[in-house]
Amino acid sequence: MPAIPETDPLDFYDVRSLLSEEELLVRDSVGGFVDREVLPVIADCFAEHRFPVELVPRMAELGLLGASLADYGCAGLNSTSYGLICEELERGDSSVRSFVSVQSSLVMGSIDAFGSDEQKARWLPAMNKGEAIGCFGLTEAHGGSDPGNMKTRARRAGGDWRISGGKFWITNGTLADVAVVWASTDEGVRGFLVERGMRGFASREIRNKFSLRASDTAELSFDDVRVSDEARLPGATNLKAALSCLNQARFGIVWGAVGAARACLDEALAYASSRELFGRPLSHTQLIQSRLADATRRLTAAQLMAWRIAELKEQGRATPERVSLAKRNNVRTALDIARDCRDMLGAAGITLDHHAIRHMLNLETVNTYEGTESIHDLIVGRALTGHAAY
Ligand code: TGC
Ligand code: FAD
């Protein structure tokens, strides 16, 4: 029984009361989906190294694919609502949030921002309905932190382009009907839409991951793939275009990490109340209370950061540096909470019967992708000092 009865331990500062009716509806409908359809299957998916592709039509029905875009059947939700979608999905599993992040922010977002009218009309409605799946190929095997050093090349061939090279660690890579592929050209970095089945284009699943096991992660290879100039994203004319796509996905992670941390703390609170040791519930011991209080302190700070960055985003003031600070903070916070909660469960905490270890392992990836912790520190460091130290 909490000391202040109306206090939700997972929302200590009552962020919920800051949400509009529409935002509450989004949170509750996605939360219900996660409780009913994600949580019952996700541990098995993690164990089997399998993305639950059968959930895609349901996510489409709920309007979760491209939810913040305004046209082509998309819901045009505000930043907080998009954040809440990510938070609830990642309360289930980072892999499900990641599917939606890539589909919505990285692929639909790139096409919406940089695509031609024909490209938008062809892909955005289909992707919104879950009839087409996308992936986003920026990272290469030799060093994801420095995408400016990409080796994938596109060369003009008459009116067409020939693409050669490869991308690594690509979410949704084997499922995707279309890949947004970033390549260097004689004219600078350009983005292309490469479709499944094109001659010379192949994808291969990366196995043996111990993190994000319920996600489809792949290597893409391009062996002289010929695409027409209509497959080029006409508005994407430099590396900045590719990097700008990351902001929305990083923003989603800021909120998603809160969801993973909530799941772990919720579980640890229940476990500490029910587990009896030395003749009393674990939750009656000072050290456990101190650890639970510390997790609550960190979670509350992360929730407030997520809420504030959404507000800044609505005002057009969520600069890349501000998003970096929040991504770095909230993922590190969630990772630390997950590890500590895993430990409070003792040996039980190492099994997939509980959530903590799955979230803890997933968050190792979340800390690395969309810019590593160090890269985000360096982005903030550059903003503070005016000097790029990476
Ligand atoms: P740099 O010279 O700093 O920048 C080139 C131009 O781009 C601008 N810029 C950005 N613009 C918008 N948004 C951003 N986030 C931007 N970051 C940079 C910059 O202002 C500059 O513009 P201009 O006008 O001056 O030309 O470029 P650099 O090559 O030195 O890069 C700097 C660095 C390290 C920050 C960048 O390379 C970086 O962010 N690296 C991390 C790479 C990364 O995050 N990759 C993510 C791949 S996708 C993924 O992981 C998906 S995971 C699945 C999921 O999301 O669930
Ligand atoms: P590296 O860049 O090799 O970095 C290695 C280490 O060096 C890190 O600790 C890093 O912080 C540190 N480091 C790097 N540069 C510096 C420096 N200047 N100073 C100090 N330290 C430095 N990419 C996509 O394009 N699309 C996707 O869909 C996608 N999905 C992913 C899914 C998963 C499961 C994973 C694990 C990754 C995914 N990525 C994706 C790739 C991800 O963005 C990269 O892993 C990430 O950007 C880091 O690149 P890297 O792994 O090559 O590490």
Side-chain angles (χ1 to χ4, degrees):
M1 172 67 68
I4 313 171
E6 70 273 18
T7 302
D8 176 352
L10 303 177
D11 183 12
F12 212 70
Y13 276 10
D14 200 10
V15 172
R16 192 180 171 90
S17 68
L18 301 170
L19 305 179
S20 68
E21 289 280 315
E22 183 184 67
E23 291 159 358
L24 285 170
L25 199 67
V26 169
R27 178 181 150 136
D28 293 346
S29 68
V30 183
F33 162 73
V34 168
D35 289 338
R36 286 188 301 273
E37 300 184 51
V38 176
L39 289 176
V41 301
I42 202 63
D44 285 346
C45 289
F46 187 96
E48 293 159 13
H49 213 301
R50 178 181 82 81
F51 172 69
V53 70
E54 64 277 10
L55 296 179
V56 173
R58 283 290 296 127
M59 291 195 272
E61 265 171 44
L62 286 166
L64 307 188
L65 309 181
S68 39
L69 302 185
D71 298 315
Y72 300 98
C74 302
L77 297 182
N78 69 9
S79 300
T80 301
S81 295
Y82 178 66
L84 289 164
I85 291 173
C86 292
E87 178 177 337
E88 287 303 313
L89 292 178
E90 198 146 358
R91 183 169 64 77
D93 196 84
S94 303
S95 63
V96 184
R97 194 271 308 141
S98 209
F99 173 84
V100 169
S101 289
V102 170
Q103 176 90 345
S104 305
S105 303
L106 294 179
V107 183
M108 296 176 77
S110 306
I111 296 172
D112 187 59
F114 304 116
S116 64
D117 288 344
E118 293 72 30
Q119 289 167 339
K120 291 179 195 179
R122 171 155 182 222
W123 291 109
L124 296 181
M127 296 188 79
N128 167 254
K129 293 192 199 108
E131 292 163 2
I133 292 175
C135 68
F136 181 88
L138 179 62
T139 302
E140 299 183 358
H142 57 86
S145 298
D146 184 16
N149 186 33
M150 67 180 74
K151 311 290 185 209
T152 298
R153 285 281 295 164
R155 293 184 176 81
R156 282 197 185 269
D160 293 346
W161 294 85
R162 287 178 177 279
I163 304 175
S164 292
K167 299 288 172 181
F168 214 76
W169 302 114
I170 306 305
T171 302
N172 302 348
T174 71
L175 291 169
D177 300 285
V178 62
V180 172
V181 177
W182 297 94
S184 74
T185 76
D186 289 341
E187 299 147 45
V189 171
R190 297 288 183 273
F192 297 88
L193 299 180
V194 179
E195 293 179 42
R196 183 213 285 270
M198 283 181 159
R199 187 191 294 260
F201 173 35
S203 61
R204 179 188 67 84
E205 189 187 357
I206 299 174
R207 301 291 299 177
N208 289 327
K209 290 176 298 166
F210 281 79
S211 174
L212 235 68
R213 286 174 61 87
S215 181
D216 168 29
T217 314
E219 174 179 12
L220 309 183
S221 59
F222 310 95
D223 181 7
D224 204 23
V225 179
R226 191 165 189 134
V227 297
S228 72
D229 195 45
E230 279 73 59
R232 185 174 52 82
L233 294 169
T237 54
N238 46 30
L239 178 65
K240 185 175 182 158
L243 296 176
S244 71
C245 301
L246 306 179
N247 297 323
Q248 174 77 353
R250 290 171 177 173
F251 168 81
I253 290 173
V254 170
W255 283 77
V258 169
R262 267 174 58 213
C264 295
L265 182 54
D266 195 19
E267 181 175 68
L269 280 166
Y271 192 86
S273 301
S274 64
R275 182 100 173 144
E276 291 215 1
L277 291 163
F278 300 100
R280 58 186 173 163
L282 207 48
S283 60
H284 292 197
T285 65
Q286 288 188 347
L287 282 177
I288 290 288
Q289 285 193 14
S290 165
R291 291 165 75 179
L292 292 171
D294 193 54
T296 300
R297 172 182 64 76
R298 292 167 192 244
L299 173 63
T300 303
Q303 284 168 324
L304 293 174
M305 216 168 200
W307 183 79
R308 175 64 182 156
I309 196 80
E311 207 180 48
L312 288 170
K313 198 159 162 30
E314 284 298 298
Q315 298 165 6
R317 296 166 65 215
T319 58
E321 296 78 18
R322 283 176 163 161
V323 175
S324 281
L325 187 75
K327 192 269 185 184
R328 186 253 189 262
N329 180 75
N330 283 15
V331 180
R332 167 52 63 185
T333 294
L335 184 53
D336 290 345
I337 289 175
R339 279 184 181 157
D340 206 32
C341 289
R342 204 295 307 150
D343 181 77
M344 284 188 266
L345 269 59
I350 72 160
T351 73
L352 286 176
D353 297 340
H354 295 87
H355 303 305
I357 191 136
R358 183 169 46 78
H359 283 297
M360 184 191 105
L361 292 168
N362 284 340
L363 287 161
E364 291 290 344
T365 282
V366 184
N367 209 33
T368 288
Y369 71 22
E370 284 293 352
T372 66
E373 186 168 45
S374 297
I375 287 296
H376 289 297
D377 277 344
L378 293 170
I379 291 170
V380 173
R382 181 184 54 183
L384 296 175
T385 65
H387 181 74
Y390 32 78

